[in-house]
Amino acid sequence: MRLLGEKKKLDRDMARSRAKRRVALIGGVFCFIFGIAGFLEELNGGLLESLDDFIFLAIGIIIIILFLIYRNTFTNRDLNRFLNVTTLLLVLGLVFKLLAIGALEARDLSALGDDYPSVILILLVIIYRFL
């Protein structure tokens, strides 16, 4: 009886980790989309203005590649490793985006168009990781 309850708990934990893995992939896709859109838009503005978008684009690509590498994992250890790495990458991207909002793009209101939605969406993905 007790063994059956532990198996159900492990199955539930595994299903939760897989759901979080899918949400991390969505976060990576958001990073990719916002990164490429912002990078192409601000490419004419200079390298410094498009640096945060380029970093966001690179983070999105890395998360998508990691998802493809870990897509067939069936252990909690590998899933947690993937989730920890993607969460760290998303936090890094969020820090760069917040620095860009505060320091680089605060002067130009038209450059802030993609920054606020990307910050909100990435914050939601990071928060979901810890729920």
Side-chain angles (χ1 to χ4, degrees):
M1 181 78 132
R2 182 177 178 183
L3 195 60
L4 185 61
E6 289 177 11
K7 184 176 180 340
K8 284 184 179 182
K9 184 182 181 305
L10 286 175
D11 289 342
R12 187 174 53 239
D13 289 343
M14 187 68 112
R16 181 176 289 153
S17 293
R18 286 183 182 164
K20 288 181 181 183
R21 180 177 61 176
R22 287 187 296 269
V23 171
L25 174 65
I26 291 169
V29 170
F30 281 142
C31 284
F32 179 78
I33 290 170
F34 282 118
I36 201 161
F39 183 69
L40 292 177
E41 178 185 338
E42 296 176 8
L43 193 58
N44 296 332
L47 181 64
L48 195 59
E49 286 82 13
S50 62
L51 183 64
D52 64 318
D53 295 314
F54 179 73
I55 290 171
F56 229 50
L57 174 65
I59 288 172
I61 291 171
I62 292 169
I63 290 174
I64 292 169
I65 290 171
L66 284 174
F67 179 81
L68 293 174
I69 291 171
Y70 284 100
R71 74 174 178 262
N72 290 328
T73 58
F74 296 106
T75 64
N76 269 337
R77 181 178 176 207
D78 289 339
L79 285 173
N80 285 333
R81 182 181 303 142
F82 170 77
L83 291 173
N84 291 336
V85 170
T86 56
T87 303
L88 181 67
L89 288 171
L90 290 173
V91 168
L92 181 69
L94 183 65
V95 167
F96 274 105
K97 196 55 97 166
L98 290 175
L99 286 174
I101 288 173
L104 299 174
E105 297 177 355
R107 301 179 302 265
D108 185 15
L109 294 179
S110 65
L112 290 174
D114 67 329
D115 292 332
Y116 291 123
S118 62
V119 166
I120 291 169
L121 287 171
I122 297 307
L123 267 175
L124 290 174
V125 171
I126 292 170
I127 289 170
Y128 184 76
R129 164 64 174 101
F130 296 107
L131 291 181

